[in-house]
């Protein structure tokens, strides 16, 4: 997988021999291709290395990205019924739960942000909805209780004193970006609430989802129209009015996925149908060219400025497209051609490296572009996963076979920060129903450099 000392010429020759051959209509072909791509992902896994950390990838990949990548691997475990990495995934998720089973582990104590914790929770919710093996560790709750703990903790940080609500980017006051409220943190809370509401049948969660979404639109981070905008965020000093209008696929994706879950949970309400259509319209317009996906803000024909984090955004965006197609079937005619064309193009990019199937960043090229990394592998995996999204049952609920029962009060007595504590109480009757201290101060955004998930 690694380039090492091999010359570009040798790599190019080898890529002609070993490129991934993808038949988008064949499950065997798709699962064979994704198996090769996951081999490349595991090359970056730190937990297999002597002295490495279980549940982490090697530098420069941060904790949040591990959570995102494992989400794509869980989907592949389910869609391809591929058990090759089941133990890796189980051990990794357990290792990173933290002492309170809320995905605030000791190795992230000083630096974790709301977005980091939220991205991990989205992956754990996938484990719930796919009936991934529940924890066997003595004293450990099930995956659903862990997601509920994250939800309760994130919602306790809701900050009505600034900008009328919303979550801050950072949890802790000492981290740069604490005064920034961004879409990804709030988008994760929105989607978690929507998914918990759908899974449990608990209206309280759906009410919170509605509240978070309304806040996103009230502050104009999400601008609803036929081709909706989903912007990045703003500082509280200007009452969240001086918005950073970068548009990233992961922001669109997380909001889109949340809307699709709400559409499904509300039995196809016209309101959520409209919102889903509008967010999808913006995503389709902004992140595709000839139906092929790209990270438009940092990836153009003439300029490739995507940093390490931005190279993985297409992964979670792809997953959310698949969820949307399943949970909001009226989107099928729009989403399916995007998935098929992008997966085909991504497979052609997976023709580099010493193994001949290392994936690239640019899916327009028709071959490997010389770029490589964990983000490139994860993005290719996730878009190819979506070719199978209709082959297996949709995300489960308690009523359709989900085995996790959870604990709606998990996390309510855990103080993860000494500010912004707001408890959410869920009654017994209801029960039935990117992680580093960022080195970039927000002020440098005017120079065009933005790193939105650290």
């Amino acid at each position: 997988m690694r380039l090492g000392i091999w010359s570009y010429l040798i790599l190019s020759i080898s890529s002609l021999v070993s490129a991934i051959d993808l038949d988008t209509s064949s499950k065997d072909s798709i699962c064979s291709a994704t198996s090769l791509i996951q081999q490349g992902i595991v090359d970056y896994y730190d937990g297999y290395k002597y002295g490495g950390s279980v549940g982490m990838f090697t530098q420069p990949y941060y904790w949040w990205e591990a959570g995102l990548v494992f989400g794509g691997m869980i989907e592949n475990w389910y869609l391809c019924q591929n058990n090759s990495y089941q133990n890796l995934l189980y051990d990794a998720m357990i290792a990173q739960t933290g002492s309170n089973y809320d995905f605030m582990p000791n190795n992230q104590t000083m630096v974790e942000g709301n977005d980091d914790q939220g991205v991990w929770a989205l992956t754990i919710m996938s484990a719930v909805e796919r009936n991934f093996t529940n924890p066997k560790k003595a004293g450990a709750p099930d995956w659903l209780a862990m997601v509920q703990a994250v939800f309760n903790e994130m919602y306790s940080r809701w900050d009505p004193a600034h900008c009328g609500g919303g979550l801050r980017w950072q949890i802790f006051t000492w981290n740069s970006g604490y005064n920034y409220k961004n879409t990804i943190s709030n988008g994760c809370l929105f989607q978690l609430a929507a998914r918990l509401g759908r899974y449990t049948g608990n209206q309280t969660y759906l009410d919170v989802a509605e509240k978070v979404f309304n806040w996103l639109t009230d502050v104009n981070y999400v601008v609803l129209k036929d081709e909706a905008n989903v912007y990045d965020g703003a500082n509280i000093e200007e009452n969240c009015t001086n918005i950073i209008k970068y548009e990233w696929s992961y922001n669109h994706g997380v909001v889109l996925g949340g809307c699709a879950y709400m559409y499904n949970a509300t039995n196809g309400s016209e309101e959520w149908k409209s919102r889903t259509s509008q967010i999808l319209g913006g995503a389709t317009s902004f992140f595709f060219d000839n139906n092929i996906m790209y990270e438009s803000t940092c990836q153009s024909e003439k300029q490739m400025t995507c940093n390490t984090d931005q190279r993985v955004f297409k992964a979670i965006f792809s997953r959310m497209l698949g969820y949307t197609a399943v949970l909001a079937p009226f989107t099928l005619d729009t989403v399916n051609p995007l998935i098929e064309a992008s997966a085909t193009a991504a497979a052609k990019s997976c023709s580099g490296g010493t193994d001949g199937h290392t994936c690239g960043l640019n899916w327009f090229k028709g071959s490997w572009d010389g770029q490589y990394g964990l983000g490139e592998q994860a993005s290719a995996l996730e878009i190819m996963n979506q070719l199978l999204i209709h082959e297996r049952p949709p995300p489960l609920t308690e009523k359709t076979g989900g085995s996790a029962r959870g604990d709606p009060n998990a996390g309510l007595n855990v103080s993860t920060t000494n500010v912004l504590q707001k408890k959410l109480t869920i009654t017994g009757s209801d029960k039935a129903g990117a992680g580093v201290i960022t080195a970039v101060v927000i002020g440098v955004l005017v120079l065009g450099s933005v790193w939105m998930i650290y």
Side-chain angles (χ1 to χ4, degrees):
M1 178 65 186
R2 295 293 192 277
L3 293 184
I5 62 173
W6 293 95
S7 70
Y8 186 87
L9 177 61
I10 294 175
L11 294 178
S12 298
I13 293 173
S14 69
S15 71
L16 296 176
V17 177
S18 306
I20 286 177
D21 182 19
L22 178 68
D23 178 353
T24 60
S25 65
S26 165
K27 181 178 178 180
D28 287 344
S29 175
I30 296 164
C31 291
S32 176
T34 54
S35 178
L36 290 175
I37 292 169
Q38 285 183 105
Q39 290 174 20
I41 287 175
V42 172
D43 280 350
Y44 293 98
Y45 185 55
D46 200 46
Y48 280 169
K49 295 176 171 56
Y50 179 78
S53 298
V54 175
M56 296 283 287
F57 288 90
T58 56
Q59 293 183 352
Y61 304 109
Y62 297 115
W63 182 73
W64 82 273
E65 191 163 342
L68 188 157
V69 171
F70 295 142
M73 295 178 73
I74 286 174
E75 287 296 296
N76 190 263
W77 166 85
Y78 177 77
L79 295 169
C80 284
Q81 298 168 283
N82 175 11
N83 294 325
S84 300
Y85 302 107
Q86 183 173 352
N87 291 338
L88 181 157
L89 291 167
Y90 178 87
D91 292 342
M93 292 190 295
I94 289 293
Q96 297 301 319
T97 58
S99 57
N100 291 310
Y101 299 105
D102 57 0
F103 291 88
M104 293 196 72
N106 291 335
N107 63 345
Q108 300 297 312
T109 298
M110 300 293 288
V111 297
E112 186 172 339
N114 279 305
D115 51 352
D116 306 317
Q117 189 182 25
V119 167
W120 268 92
L122 295 181
T123 284
I124 304 307
M125 193 65 207
S126 293
V128 173
E129 295 167 340
R130 300 309 198 184
N131 268 351
F132 189 79
T133 305
N134 265 302
K136 302 173 184 176
K137 179 181 176 182
D142 65 18
W143 300 124
L144 178 59
M146 296 184 195
V147 176
Q148 290 169 310
V150 174
F151 168 82
N152 286 331
E153 290 175 13
M154 289 183 71
Y155 189 62
S156 77
R157 304 177 194 130
W158 188 260
D159 175 26
H162 303 90
C163 311
L167 294 181
R168 297 170 184 252
W169 175 14
Q170 300 295 338
I171 297 172
F172 302 106
T173 58
W174 52 78
N175 284 340
S176 179
Y178 179 71
N179 288 342
Y180 191 72
K181 292 191 174 182
N182 60 358
T183 294
I184 189 60
S185 297
N186 289 280
C188 285
L189 179 60
F190 163 56
Q191 189 178 129
L192 284 176
R195 293 171 78 165
L196 286 169
R198 177 182 177 272
Y199 184 88
T200 65
N202 180 346
Q203 183 63 38
T204 304
Y205 291 120
L206 300 182
D207 291 344
V208 172
E210 181 92 38
K211 174 180 177 179
V212 179
F213 186 85
N214 287 342
W215 180 82
L216 285 166
T217 59
D218 288 345
V219 295
N220 290 318
Y221 287 10
V222 173
V223 181
L224 292 175
K225 52 186 179 179
D226 287 346
E227 295 181 356
N229 298 108
V230 181
Y231 297 128
D232 197 81
N235 285 318
I236 66 172
E237 287 84 355
E238 296 87 19
N239 198 34
C240 296
T241 58
N242 188 18
I243 297 173
I244 304 300
K245 292 189 174 181
Y246 289 107
E247 298 200 56
W248 302 104
S249 66
Y250 80 142
N251 281 331
H252 275 260
V254 169
V255 173
L256 174 63
C259 288
Y261 271 93
M262 287 298 286
Y263 170 81
N264 193 272
T266 57
N267 298 312
S269 74
E270 286 299 316
E271 181 177 45
W272 285 106
K273 180 178 182 180
S274 176
R275 291 168 172 175
T276 302
S277 295
Q278 290 171 313
I279 302 296
L280 179 59
T284 302
S285 173
F286 206 69
F287 300 108
F288 293 89
D289 186 357
N290 291 325
N291 285 352
I292 296 175
M293 186 187 300
Y294 73 116
E295 195 63 50
S296 55
T297 297
C298 63
Q299 180 191 341
S300 67
E301 186 176 343
K302 296 181 180 179
Q303 188 176 17
M304 295 287 241
T305 60
C306 301
N307 69 21
T308 300
D309 283 344
Q310 294 154 6
R311 289 166 181 256
V312 78
F313 288 173
K314 290 185 295 188
I316 195 167
F317 179 48
S318 297
R319 192 189 318 160
M320 296 307 157
L321 282 176
Y323 286 163
T324 299
V326 167
L327 297 170
F330 69 89
T331 67
L332 276 172
D333 288 344
T334 299
V335 173
N336 283 357
L338 302 177
I339 289 173
E340 184 164 353
S342 295
T344 299
K348 292 177 181 178
S349 86
C350 296
S351 56
T354 56
D355 57 10
H357 45 258
T358 292
C359 302
L361 176 65
N362 182 353
W363 295 350
F364 296 115
K365 186 176 175 62
S367 61
W368 184 51
D369 63 354
Q371 304 293 317
Y372 64 99
L374 182 60
E376 286 85 342
Q377 295 297 123
S379 295
L381 169 66
E382 296 251 32
I383 193 61
M384 292 184 207
N385 278 345
Q386 306 321 310
L387 294 167
L388 300 172
I389 199 68
H390 305 291
E391 298 293 318
R392 302 291 316 279
L396 297 172
T397 69
E398 284 184 350
K399 293 182 177 180
T400 61
S403 61
R405 290 296 175 262
D407 175 6
N409 294 312
L412 287 177
N413 296 317
V414 177
S415 178
T416 59
T417 176
N418 60 354
V419 294
L420 305 180
Q421 288 299 306
K422 176 181 173 66
K423 300 299 184 185
L424 173 67
T425 300
I426 299 176
T427 65
S429 59
D430 286 328
K431 185 175 179 181
V436 295
I437 300 176
T438 185
V440 184
V441 179
I442 295 298
V444 303
L445 292 175
V446 296
L447 300 178
S449 296
V450 57
W451 326 80
M452 285 291 96
I453 193 147
Y454 289 6

